[in-house]
Amino acid sequence: MKKMTLKEIAQVFNVSISTVSKAINDSHEISYGLKTKIQQYAKENKYRPNKLALNLRQKKTKTIGVVVPNILNYFFTQVFSGIEKVANEKGYNLLSCISDESYEKEVKTLEFLGGGTVDGIIVSMAEETQFKSKMDHFQNLLDEHIPLVMFDRVSDDVLCDKVVVDDYEAGYRTAKYFLNLGCTTLAVVSAIDQSSVGRLRVDGYKKALSEADIPFDDRLILRLGKKDDLELLMSLLLNYKQIDGIMALDEITAVEVLRIVKARGYKVQEDISVIGFTNGKLSRYVTPSLTAVSQHGTYLGETAANTLIERMEGRTGKDFSTRIIKTSLVVRDSTKKL
Amino acid sequence: MKKMTLKEIAQVFNVSISTVSKAINDSHEISYGLKTKIQQYAKENKYRPNKLALNLRQKKTKTIGVVVPNILNYFFTQVFSGIEKVANEKGYNLLSCISDESYEKEVKTLEFLGGGTVDGIIVSMAEETQFKSKMDHFQNLLDEHIPLVMFDRVSDDVLCDKVVVDDYEAGYRTAKYFLNLGCTTLAVVSAIDQSSVGRLRVDGYKKALSEADIPFDDRLILRLGKKDDLELLMSLLLNYKQIDGIMALDEITAVEVLRIVKARGYKVQEDISVIGFTNGKLSRYVTPSLTAVSQHGTYLGETAANTLIERMEGRTGKDFSTRIIKTSLVVRDSTKKL
DNA sequence: ATGAAAGCGCTAACAT
DNA sequence: ATGTTAGCGCTTTCAT
């Protein structure tokens, strides 16, 4: 039972290929009798039009390319899941690629996707790309008029639709929340200082401090490199000043911070409040459960997919949009009660 | 700068399309001078062969379809990541689909993938599919000679390559481990009793009990339905007998069990030992950290991808293989020390 | 109501 | 060394 083609069906009925094509597509041009016979035959023999031929003919694939830096990160998984949901509803498929935070892989991937394989692309930049600030590969896509939506890790140098988390605002409001709680010596632990996202959060934090007339102290910002020892840096930090609030910019780091703080004998909540970014499963189940900034990854993904699909289907003007997803704070047990 | 074709290049140089094709593919048939000129022109103008045309011509897509039930489940994410890694290394792309545990969606997805979009398919069955035991959609693929690899949630009724976790053995060894610890009243909490995977683990558990001459008591098996209240069922269970070991068949359930047991005043480790299946991030960071059965998801994914690629590239015999991934126990703090 | 022919972009066997 | 032709499977004018 090999794949069957229009040609074969045509031979069976001794008609032309185009007749069969029309019959199968239920064209009114074909007589009722012949049409039903052909349709029935097609169904019985499980005829399926060859997608490759259709793609070539119609110059579209009904496929969206998705490039994420790392799928093992729950936030990106959530976004992916949101994209999938919308894409599926609207009849699109997902060609998924992982850049592994590598610039080179990202370039190759986008080059590939630009080759006609997909109708549009959704991407969040690799860390290395953000670091290098090289955006040519995105520009190439734009030059070829391939619809592109960037999310979360975006660049001002690329003119396309974007969906971002309001990281500045999130940093600001998180710091504010600490201040309202009565915390005054606020540290930040960032494992993502390379990225715009991380820096925006710190900027928001600075603004909150300045509004409260608290001088900014850079030594309270712990910037964690790939090979750094968090344990060690944390103990330096904790010895430096009597810290009563820590904001950790990703979930794993937040959980680690929690562990270290506990291990060093501090009482989380009473002595030190901790808030993490990214509200994933860990935050909920860790002890004490972690107050966290939710970035609504799934919703973000849905928004990105909708934006792209609208663009692909020409239902948007020529101006690019930047949609901003509001964060929200999920209060749990790692912060003082109000 | 719209996409450029061979035809356009041919016009520029006043040669035939096939000459250009050959030149670009660096054929020896073309004179050095012309060849380099064309190649240079192509490069400058960023010529990229149209993938759709190539696919049609060569009747392959260098794409693998992956269908997983749920990407928000860390195990599947790991598998996916493993597949991606190998696929990428071998020059394949991934068309990813999520069945959402739905039979219907799985059927539609496979129908779509069978339409020529991919060269081969890797799939783990939806829960509903396992429950209904309807395998026609897989059989259809096989009939059309589309290479298929099933993993983790597989069916004996589908004759194809498979990669599975040794769940029977895992259940057996986990129960054994409890017994060695001195635990004798072992409960199982299963939220996946619909699936082969869940039942195999329970079967392994039974074997270990019988070897130790402990009679099997079905009331110690807590089968959790979608809408059931774990909290309530757990308290019934804990009141039923003095349980000293609990084996939870998925990570979230394990973590919940841990929480409930703690909340009811039992000392995890001393009073009750808990082992979870699936060694994800949660297990590591929860308090107390959870002893867990690792299924080596990434490795499983790599194996599945390798198996499929070998099959697609015809480097395997006609017999189908079933590769078995051994589990291993990651001992942490939720179990008694030996 | 049916069919012939062109074409999507590319490759490759077969001329010249 | 270069060109011609056919064809991958399908849709879609434009005849008939």
Side-chain angles (χ1 to χ4, degrees), chain B residues 18-63:
Chain B
S18 64
T19 304
V20 178
S21 170
K22 287 171 187 164
I24 285 180
N25 290 308
D26 211 28
S27 158
H28 54 271
E29 292 182 29
I30 306 298
S31 69
Y32 181 77
L34 184 56
K35 201 157 77 175
T36 42
K37 264 195 294 185
I38 291 183
Q39 285 177 352
Q40 165 141 14
Y41 182 86
K43 185 171 293 172
E44 275 168 8
N45 294 64
K46 302 213 185 75
Y47 167 79
R48 310 237 157 268
N50 181 325
K51 283 275 181 356
L52 304 180
L54 281 181
N55 288 346
L56 177 58
R57 183 99 233 294
Q58 301 169 169
K59 296 189 165 207
K60 47 185 187 133
T61 61
K62 276 282 185 176
T63 302

Side-chain angles (χ1 to χ4, degrees), chain A residues 62-298:
Chain A
K62 276 278 182 182
T63 302
I64 295 173
V66 180
V67 187
V68 291
N70 170 8
I71 193 78
L72 294 172
N73 174 319
Y74 194 68
F75 170 66
F76 287 119
T77 310
Q78 279 187 98
V79 175
F80 189 84
S81 162
I83 295 174
E84 205 276 342
K85 175 160 169 276
V86 169
N88 183 258
E89 283 167 10
K90 310 240 163 136
Y92 285 85
N93 296 91
L94 255 39
L95 192 59
S96 41
C97 310
I98 302 174
S99 67
D100 260 332
E101 304 286 10
S102 143
Y103 168 73
E104 196 195 349
K105 201 170 164 200
E106 185 177 287
V107 170
K108 278 172 66 177
T109 303
L110 290 184
E111 224 157 67
F112 171 82
L113 292 177
T117 333
V118 297
D119 296 346
I121 298 176
I122 298 178
V123 47
S124 186
M125 279 190 279
E127 199 173 302
E128 199 189 347
T129 308
Q130 293 209 104
F131 181 59
K132 295 195 174 184
S133 280
K134 300 222 274 186
M135 301 295 144
D136 298 9
H137 50 313
F138 294 115
Q139 197 51 53
N140 289 343
L141 294 178
L142 264 30
D143 289 346
E144 298 187 23
H145 303 110
I146 297 171
L148 174 67
V149 172
M150 300 184 83
F151 73 90
D152 193 52
R153 281 137 71 150
V154 306
S155 163
D156 287 340
D157 299 339
V158 183
L159 294 167
C160 65
D161 290 310
K162 288 163 199 167
V163 184
V164 294
V165 169
D166 196 346
D167 286 295
Y168 179 81
E169 181 79 10
Y172 172 73
R173 289 200 350 221
T174 305
K176 272 290 242 209
Y177 188 84
F178 274 124
L179 296 171
N180 278 343
L181 250 32
C183 304
T184 51
T185 313
L186 307 180
V188 176
V189 183
S190 169
I192 51 169
D193 194 59
Q194 300 292 14
S195 76
S196 54
V197 166
R199 264 173 269 155
L200 284 168
R201 290 175 191 164
V202 173
D203 289 345
Y205 153 95
K206 284 184 190 170
K207 183 185 171 207
L209 288 194
S210 92
E211 278 184 12
D213 283 325
I214 298 178
F216 170 71
D217 178 356
D218 197 66
R219 292 184 60 185
L220 290 175
I221 312 291
L222 197 168
R223 296 186 178 80
L224 199 65
K226 282 264 173 296
K227 298 289 163 220
D228 289 340
D229 181 355
L230 179 60
E231 203 95 26
L232 177 67
L233 294 175
M234 275 298 292
S235 76
L236 294 177
L237 180 67
L238 291 168
N239 289 336
Y240 169 58
K241 268 195 182 169
Q242 188 175 328
I243 286 160
D244 52 12
I246 304 179
M247 159 173 154
L249 302 195
D250 69 282
E251 186 170 44
I252 295 282
T253 303
V255 170
E256 290 282 14
V257 164
L258 210 61
R259 186 178 56 71
I260 293 170
V261 167
K262 280 197 298 182
R264 309 202 114 245
Y266 295 90
K267 291 206 162 171
V268 173
Q269 191 179 83
E270 282 122 86
D271 302 341
I272 300 185
S273 288
V274 178
I275 297 183
F277 270 74
T278 298
N279 178 41
K281 291 206 182 123
L282 279 179
S283 301
R284 187 153 82 237
Y285 289 110
V286 106
T287 313
S289 62
L290 189 64
T291 296
V293 178
S294 167
Q295 295 151 93
H296 306 293
T298 308

Side-chain angles (χ1 to χ4, degrees), chain A residues 15-16 18-19 22 29 31 57 59:
Chain A
V15 293
S16 79
S18 59
T19 304
K22 286 170 186 165
E29 293 182 29
S31 69
R57 183 97 233 291
K59 296 188 164 205

Side-chain angles (χ1 to χ4, degrees), chain B residues 299-312:
Chain B
Y299 178 66
L300 195 160
E302 292 170 17
T303 307
N306 278 319
T307 306
L308 181 68
I309 291 174
E310 277 166 25
R311 172 75 51 193
M312 291 190 305

